[in-house]
Amino acid sequence: MNCELCGKKTSRTTTVSIENSEIEVCDECKSYGKEIFKGKGDISSKNQILQRIKNKKRVGRSSEMDEINKKELALDYSERIERARIEKNLTQEELAKKLNEKKSLIAKLERSDMRPSDDLRKKLEQTLNIELMEKIESTSTKKSESSKGLTIGDLIDTES
Ligand SMILES: [Zn+2]
């Protein structure tokens, strides 16, 4: 048997993969390639798997594009509310009065115990001059029921 790489006579060859072709090499040359333990089917099935992964990625990317215009309540809405309130030198009570809501409601919002309704969110955004909605980065972001209506409304607006 001869090594296909250096041509040396050898008693034992190893099948390795170098730049997608399989060759029989001697022990000295086998470090140049990746050793293959199974038959020829391996390379093609590996390519098929890679292809499948690539396809999946492409699909994932395009659905992300679809999501780009969708917005939902920011995960850190409670921090945004609290920060803006403090910046405006308002107590929870004062903010509640401005919004015509109870102080306990503001406390719940700032503890993330409660998500604001669409109406309340808009009032908070206007009063505190903040943005509580943010773009959804991926489809895995959990959807909230309160933002669902708004999302559909956005879509209708875009289409008409
Ligand atoms: Zn060799």
Side-chain angles (χ1 to χ4, degrees), residues 4 19 29-30 37 42 54 60 62 76 78 81-82 86 90 92 98 102 104 106-107 115 122 130 135 142 152 157:
E4 288 180 26
E19 286 172 5
C29 295
K30 89 181 167 186
F37 295 99
D42 237 16
K54 275 183 197 165
S62 72
D76 61 347
S78 55
I81 294 168
E82 187 175 18
I86 290 167
L90 292 169
Q92 287 186 344
K98 274 180 178 283
K102 286 176 187 160
S104 60
I106 306 300
R115 297 166 72 91
K122 281 171 196 161
I130 52 172
K135 278 174 188 168
K142 79 170 179 179
I152 292 164
D157 278 353

Side-chain angles (χ1 to χ4, degrees), residues 17-29:
S17 163
I18 297 173
E19 286 172 5
N20 274 338
S21 54
E22 286 176 42
I23 56 172
E24 304 276 331
V25 296
C26 68
D27 281 350
E28 282 168 52
C29 295

Side-chain angles (χ1 to χ4, degrees), residues 75-79 107-115:
L75 289 174
D76 61 347
Y77 71 90
S78 55
E79 287 164 41
K108 273 184 190 172
L109 288 172
E110 291 186 4
R111 283 201 309 264
S112 308
D113 276 358
M114 203 194 90
R115 297 166 72 91

Side-chain angles (χ1 to χ4, degrees), residues 130-145:
I130 52 172
E131 177 72 63
L132 289 175
M133 301 297 278
E134 65 183 9
K135 278 174 188 168
I136 300 170
E137 292 294 331
S138 79
T139 47
S140 62
T141 316
K142 79 170 179 179
K143 291 193 165 57
S144 74
E145 284 194 8

